Amino acid sequence: SQQGEEDPQALSIQEGENATMNCSYKTSINNLQWYRQNSGRGLVHLILIRSNEREKHSGRLRVTLDTSKKSSSLLITASRAADTASYFCATVTNTGNQFYFGTGTSLTVIP
Amino acid sequence: SQTIHQWPATLVQPVGSPLSLECTVEGTSNPNLYWYRQAAGRGLQLLFYSVGIGQISSEVPQNLSASRPQDRQFILSSKKLLLSDSGFYLCAWSVRGQGRRYEQYFGPGTRLTVT
């Protein structure tokens, strides 16, 4: 069964604004990852944050992790129309073998 | 560099017909392999994963089965398709081993429509 839940389910913003998406999960994890999916395509890995990390940056992406609340957030700063896609969080079990994806947030950036 | 192939890209099959989707990975050895299904507008459901040849773990009971006849080949099958098997099927691989990064690399997907 899916372990993560993202909110909001859909988000529409103007180009240049920041977009924040949240993810909640249920059990202990080794790490949490965020992926992006363009319509009808495979997923692309964006960023990984380990369970002992609290914040991580990569370009315009900022990820936070709160293991006490079992939640994570993805912030995309200065959004662009090309950021329009669905974003999924995925949690990885301590065995490192099983990935559980959330339900996704559909982001639309209006030029 | 590593590459993952999935075929076919799209498939329309009648109810009750068999299914075989194939996934192969190039440029890596001993990967973990995964099959996911994505319903329209939904998240990914993990169907099967494999940590080695002949080793298959099933996440949910269903009408599908998986096999790994070779290290870098993962096959998803069904003997008789149901309407509910329609969806977008994604194959993925990740590096195996402790201390490694666990990101997954996805194939382009197969769009299956059961009519």
Side-chain angles (χ1 to χ4, degrees):
Chain A
S1 62
Q2 292 179 346
Q3 179 165 272
E5 295 284 339
E6 282 100 335
D7 78 271
Q9 289 188 338
L11 181 60
S12 183
I13 59 174
Q14 295 290 330
E15 200 165 33
E17 294 181 337
N18 296 340
T20 300
M21 291 158 260
N22 303 295
C23 168
S24 61
Y25 58 93
K26 297 175 184 174
T27 63
S28 297
I29 61 172
N30 177 285
N31 65 75
L32 185 143
Q33 304 175 27
W34 285 89
Y35 288 79
R36 166 196 169 120
Q37 183 183 34
N38 286 81
S39 180
R41 307 290 293 275
L43 279 72
V44 175
H45 179 264
L46 295 175
I47 194 167
L48 178 155
I49 186 166
R50 300 195 185 282
S51 59
N52 61 354
E53 297 176 312
R54 292 297 168 256
E55 186 171 315
K56 203 161 185 180
H57 297 256
S58 177
R60 294 185 296 114
L61 305 179
R62 173 178 167 249
V63 171
T64 61
L65 179 65
D66 186 336
T67 52
S68 66
K69 296 180 179 178
K70 292 185 167 55
S71 67
S72 172
S73 67
L74 171 68
L75 169 67
I76 304 174
T77 60
S79 63
R80 305 166 182 168
D83 294 329
T84 295
S86 291
Y87 292 82
F88 295 88
C89 68
T91 51
V92 183
T93 63
N94 285 317
T95 63
N97 293 329
Q98 291 154 288
F99 288 66
Y100 294 103
F101 283 80
T103 50
T105 292
S106 176
L107 173 66
T108 301
V109 181
I110 303 166
Chain B
S1 64
Q2 301 90 0
T3 308
I4 179 168
H5 301 279
Q6 256 188 272
W7 66 92
T10 59
L11 191 59
V12 180
Q13 293 281 101
V15 168
S17 63
L19 173 74
S20 180
L21 302 181
E22 189 164 343
C23 170
T24 59
V25 181
E26 295 177 358
T28 187
S29 297
N30 304 314
N32 284 351
L33 295 172
Y34 304 82
W35 278 112
Y36 292 90
R37 177 169 58 203
Q38 185 178 30
R42 304 288 298 277
L44 277 70
Q45 180 184 36
L46 177 60
L47 300 176
F48 302 95
Y49 70 93
S50 171
V51 300
I53 295 174
Q55 300 179 60
I56 309 295
S57 296
S58 174
E59 284 293 299
V60 292
Q62 58 206 315
N63 184 42
L64 303 168
S65 62
S67 62
R68 185 171 178 174
Q70 300 180 47
D71 181 47
R72 289 169 288 178
Q73 183 184 29
F74 206 21
I75 297 171
L76 183 69
S77 304
S78 173
K79 292 182 179 177
K80 289 185 178 181
L81 283 169
L82 307 172
L83 284 174
S84 58
D85 292 324
S86 293
F88 191 47
Y89 288 82
L90 289 157
C91 180
W93 73 272
S94 71
V95 172
R96 193 191 315 169
Q98 293 294 329
R100 298 289 194 95
R101 296 186 66 188
Y102 294 114
E103 62 195 81
Q104 286 198 321
Y105 302 91
F106 282 81
T110 295
R111 175 80 56 194
L112 172 66
T113 303
V114 182
T115 59

